[in-house]
Amino acid sequence: MKSAVIYSSLTGNTKLIGEKISEALGESDLFEIKSAPEDFSNYEVVAIGYWLKRGGPDPLTTEFLPKVHDVNVILFETHGAESKSEHTITAFARAAYLLGKNCKILGTFGCQGKINPALIEKRMKARANDPHNKFDSIERWKNAANHPNEEDFQAAKDFILNLKRRLKYE
């Protein structure tokens, strides 16, 4: 299955996951989003990875997604939120909504990642009533600093292997 893995990465988290997804896919071309092709006719699958900004894909990915059309898509994201939180699930929906015509989403994968230190500093200086500046947020930020890790890398590979197995039987 010839595939392209395209990622946008601010802190390196999404790039690392994209590399693992590319390895697991096998015959795969890996692109940073700024150098991604606009013609996907040579690919059976296009995996698109991004980091979250304000509950959706980052600005470069938001601009890129409508250009993707007529292809099978895998979406993957890295974020500072808890995995499988409403925040991350909604972000997948927002990304899917932005895709061009005739795309079929084969699956989604998300994992926590280190948060940009500048963002943490900004949040720490925020007003006391900022919902992001609560104790549980600070604990989540500390936890996110340990991701992505080997367990996340293995989960990304397993996700692709399971997807490939499922596609074989469809």
Side-chain angles (χ1 to χ4, degrees), residues 111-130:
C111 78
Q112 266 191 323
K114 296 169 197 68
I115 300 170
N116 184 342
L119 179 59
I120 291 175
E121 184 177 334
K122 179 181 174 183
R123 294 288 188 211
M124 294 300 282
K125 291 179 180 176
R127 298 185 321 252
N129 64 352
D130 183 338

Side-chain angles (χ1 to χ4, degrees), residues 123-142:
R123 294 288 188 211
M124 294 300 282
K125 291 179 180 176
R127 298 185 321 252
N129 64 352
D130 183 338
H132 295 285
N133 199 12
K134 297 187 287 189
F135 177 75
D136 59 338
S137 294
I138 294 168
E139 288 300 310
R140 182 176 42 81
W141 298 339
K142 288 178 185 175

